[in-house]
Amino acid sequence: MSQRIDDGFKTIFEFANYPTVKFYEKTVTPPGLDGGGANDTSTMRNTRWRTRAAKKLLTMTAMTASCAYDPEVYEDIVDMMQENQLITVTFPDESQVEFWGFVDKFVPGEVKEGDQPVATVTIEPSNQDEDGIEVAPVYTPAP
């Protein structure tokens, strides 16, 4: 039986090709879903109302995370930037969403005394595997 999540701790993500990358999640915004808006189907035959229809394709929106990091992550980031791979987000209840995507941005924040340095990581879903075949995200319920 499924239950809502009442606390965001502990939501993490992993990269299939780089399972040991040194990110330490502080906040995670999982990918969302976007229907792309409406298609205008109005014609000169309409009498009072504009009409619309839903689009057929879905978009999985970008995922972002604020992470503490080991500076050696630069080595991995250079190698994995724009590399399409399987990404897994694990939610606090241990359910998961798996999708194909790539790291699009790694932007370190200000580094100063008294604060833990963090970087914002942006992951773009590609929804296609390494052969260019469309692959939908997969949700796996909690055990």
Side-chain angles (χ1 to χ4, degrees):
M1 181 173 152
S2 65
Q3 287 187 296
R4 71 170 187 242
I5 297 172
D6 288 335
D7 188 341
F9 180 80
K10 132 181 178 172
T11 301
I12 61 171
F13 61 95
E14 298 172 295
F15 300 97
N17 297 358
Y18 297 86
T20 60
V21 68
K22 303 287 194 282
F23 287 130
Y24 305 93
E25 299 88 339
K26 306 248 330 153
T27 66
V28 176
T29 303
L33 301 172
D34 183 346
N39 289 334
D40 185 349
T41 59
S42 303
T43 69
M44 293 297 176
R45 302 276 178 163
N46 285 64
T47 58
R48 176 93 174 121
W49 296 97
R50 288 181 189 87
T51 53
R52 292 183 222 120
K55 291 186 176 168
K56 303 295 182 198
L57 299 177
L58 299 176
T59 298
M60 188 174 222
T61 63
M63 173 180 154
T64 58
S66 175
C67 301
Y69 60 95
D70 180 330
E72 86 176 27
V73 78
Y74 277 96
E75 249 185 281
D76 289 327
I77 288 295
V78 168
D79 291 341
M80 69 191 290
M81 286 292 291
Q82 306 302 87
E83 181 179 329
N84 194 44
Q85 60 186 300
L86 200 55
I87 298 161
T88 304
V89 177
T90 303
F91 295 98
D93 66 353
E94 297 183 15
S95 63
Q96 295 180 323
V97 171
E98 220 174 43
F99 64 96
W100 285 88
F102 53 89
V103 175
D104 187 48
K105 294 179 186 171
F106 171 77
V107 181
E110 181 180 49
V111 178
K112 63 182 179 178
E113 189 272 330
D115 288 341
Q116 183 177 41
V118 295
T120 300
V121 179
T122 303
I123 298 165
E124 286 288 345
S126 67
N127 300 313
Q128 61 181 346
D129 66 17
E130 66 273 359
D131 296 322
I133 297 170
E134 182 179 303
V135 180
V138 176
Y139 172 75
T140 304

